[in-house]
Amino acid sequence: MKGRNISNVATMRQYLFGALLVTCALLGGSSRATVPGLLVLRPVIVLFLGAFLLLPGAIAWRSVRVPLALLGAFAATMLIQLVPLPPSWWVALPGHAPLAPSLALAGDALTWRPISLDPDMTLNALVALLPAFTVIVGYAGLDPARRRALPVWLAGIAIGSALLGLAQIASGGQGAAYFFRNTSFGLPVGLFANRNHQAVFLALAVPVLWFWARTASAPAPVLRLSVALGATLLFVPMILMTGSRAGIMALAAALLLTPWLARLRLPRGMPRARRRLLLTALAAGALLVAGLIAYTVVAGQALSLDRLNDMDGLSGEKRLRALPVLLRMLSDFFPFGLGHGAFEPAFRMYEPDALLMATYFNRAHNDPLEVAMSGGLPAIAVMGALLIWLATRLLSAWRGSASDPTNALARLGGAVATGWLLASIADYPLRTPLAAAMFMLCCLWLEDGFQARRATAA
């Protein structure tokens, strides 16, 4: 009876974790502080956090201590920026002194102020870490077998997002199929508000799909492989139609890495006739993917390919022309930063007339650079620690055995997490709760593989 109760609690934790991911998917496709979905998502996230902490059973904090420490260090860079400083200290901060006259003209007396130029948005950035933190806590309460069963949730969410994108196209690019008011109407953005985030998400979900399909026990592989192939054939045109260069590059990398990450290979001792049948099916699937790409190009729907060929348009984009301004902001506010979440009002002070247009620059569209200018030297140190941690864990996963389920999942998590970081160089996908939850889950898989290999070696 006691063993059955333990099993019931473990199963409850597993489905509660899946419900957390689904909630982030339905309400967390945008990072804007004014999005109504976030007003619902954050209190619900707190409820999930309380449930994970209050449910009976051990929580393996030791297994998640490094990702938790990295997230805590990043949160500390925000807390530091919220500590009020005397006026003389505040004026002495790099980049802050020129703002004192404007505050006086606005009738705002120069009193004790925090480092951040926009404390409210810095507090919002701190609260935005809740989904990633809750994923860590929920994951720590799962046993190894249930941790390895989590790819199915990401696969299901990706398929749902792609189907929603198909419904958005079918609806004529308007209507209730779009979850957000500020979005790319007319494009298949799915669960996200930003087309680039949707494209990268679907591309990085491809190896997750095939990993889930490959790890099934007989006779499930036939059904799962069919689902994975069908979903991949759906993802390809959806990504092409978003018009995302980052998405198509991520898709190319995902298609190349999927056979290795998902350990797709023909079993030894397979009869020759069955081997030929499988090879023919794989070749037909590859030709079908190529045909879909060719069709979308011929039909004029592959906006991402058109944009890849338009190199003159790429060099003239606003984000590239704004790069010198961003570097100047980084230099002016170094080493303390201008404040997490305070980029938009700070950029308006630096924005030259040549960059003025109908749309405004809400983000730097280069998250490492924005984090560096916002958090200063402390945030740069945390990013450096993250990259060192990622490199050591990836090296461990590479050296580990592909036949070990935990290490195979670590390889998958490391590849997907790296993909999100690379996509952040030209955008800000990890600021959305859905992408942040997926990224943190992949980091936890990667850490599991490192700890398991180290325990085996010991």
Side-chain angles (χ1 to χ4, degrees):
M1 183 65 68
K2 182 178 180 181
R4 180 180 298 178
N5 290 336
I6 293 175
S7 177
N8 290 339
V9 171
T11 303
M12 186 184 301
R13 283 185 174 274
Q14 179 185 1
Y15 283 103
L16 192 63
F17 192 93
L20 168 65
L21 296 178
V22 172
T23 303
C24 288
L26 295 176
L27 300 174
S30 175
S31 61
R32 290 179 180 269
T34 56
V35 169
L38 289 182
L39 299 178
V40 180
L41 176 63
R42 288 172 177 174
V44 173
I45 289 288
V46 173
L47 294 178
F48 276 110
L49 180 60
F52 288 137
L53 293 173
L54 294 176
L55 277 175
I59 299 180
W61 294 109
R62 185 177 179 83
S63 66
V64 299
R65 65 186 184 278
V66 179
L68 184 60
L70 288 171
L71 186 66
F74 190 51
T77 66
M78 302 177 184
L79 288 171
I80 292 172
Q81 293 182 334
L82 294 174
V83 177
L85 300 176
S88 58
W89 291 20
W90 190 88
V91 173
L93 293 173
H96 288 61
L99 301 176
S102 61
L103 291 174
L105 288 175
D108 194 355
L110 193 59
T111 58
W112 286 53
R113 291 179 173 276
I115 294 175
S116 174
L117 300 182
D118 193 338
D120 291 337
M121 292 306 297
T122 301
L123 183 60
N124 175 74
L126 180 63
V127 175
L129 299 180
L130 266 175
F133 176 67
T134 307
V135 166
I136 294 176
V137 176
Y139 189 87
L142 299 177
D143 58 70
R146 286 174 171 80
R147 291 178 178 183
R148 292 193 296 268
L150 292 176
V152 64
W153 294 97
L154 295 183
I157 291 171
I159 293 173
S161 188
L163 291 175
L164 179 60
L166 188 63
Q168 290 165 347
I169 294 297
S171 68
Q174 296 290 335
Y178 288 88
F179 284 10
F180 304 97
R181 184 170 53 187
N182 294 319
T183 187
S184 300
F185 289 106
L187 296 176
V189 295
L191 294 168
F192 291 91
N194 188 300
R195 61 180 180 176
N196 293 313
H197 303 170
Q198 161 80 339
V200 173
F201 176 69
L202 294 182
L204 296 179
V206 170
V208 177
L209 267 168
W210 286 94
F211 184 92
W212 164 74
R214 178 64 179 78
T215 53
S217 57
V222 176
L223 176 60
R224 289 197 184 187
L225 288 172
S226 301
V227 172
L229 179 60
T232 303
L233 295 177
L234 174 62
F235 289 1
V236 170
M238 290 295 103
I239 293 171
L240 294 176
M241 291 195 314
T242 58
S244 169
R245 288 186 296 264
I248 196 169
M249 289 187 284
L251 176 64
L255 292 176
L256 289 174
L257 290 174
T258 292
W260 176 69
L261 294 173
R263 298 181 293 137
L264 298 176
R265 60 183 182 274
L266 298 178
R268 295 179 180 178
M270 177 182 290
R272 182 175 298 179
R274 189 175 179 185
R275 181 182 294 269
R276 287 179 178 175
L277 180 62
L278 282 177
L279 288 175
T280 302
L282 290 174
L287 288 175
L288 191 53
V289 170
L292 282 173
I293 295 175
Y295 172 76
T296 52
V297 172
V298 173
Q301 297 296 324
L303 298 180
S304 49
L305 291 180
D306 294 340
R307 295 178 74 209
L308 277 175
N309 293 327
D310 185 16
M311 298 307 294
D312 292 336
L314 173 62
S315 62
E317 281 190 351
K318 184 178 180 180
R319 65 184 66 180
L320 291 182
R321 290 186 283 121
L323 185 58
V325 181
L326 301 179
L327 294 176
R328 181 187 168 193
M329 293 172 63
L330 173 63
S331 175
D332 286 353
F333 287 93
F334 192 80
F336 301 105
L338 56 89
H340 290 280
F343 169 80
E344 183 186 331
F347 182 77
R348 286 200 298 265
M349 297 185 297
Y350 283 80
E351 189 174 18
D353 294 343
L355 293 179
L356 294 177
M357 57 179 61
T359 57
Y360 69 98
F361 218 61
N362 66 321
R363 293 289 181 187
H365 293 275
N366 183 329
D367 238 10
L369 180 57
E370 182 173 341
V371 170
M373 74 173 71
S374 300
L377 187 59
I380 294 174
V382 174
M383 286 194 294
L386 172 64
L387 293 179
I388 293 172
W389 170 85
L390 182 65
T392 57
R393 271 44 177 182
L394 284 173
L395 183 60
S396 174
W398 176 270
R399 291 176 175 175
S401 172
S403 60
D404 177 23
T406 302
N407 193 72
L409 189 57
R411 289 184 177 185
L412 175 69
V416 175
T418 302
W420 279 118
L421 291 178
L422 291 175
S424 298
I425 295 176
D427 214 335
Y428 50 94
L430 291 179
R431 295 183 181 272
T432 63
L434 174 53
M438 181 180 182
F439 173 76
M440 183 54 68
L441 178 57
C442 291
C443 289
L444 293 167
W445 284 336
L446 187 58
E447 179 67 15
D448 266 356
F450 175 79
Q451 293 191 20
R453 189 169 185 272
R454 188 171 61 176
T456 302

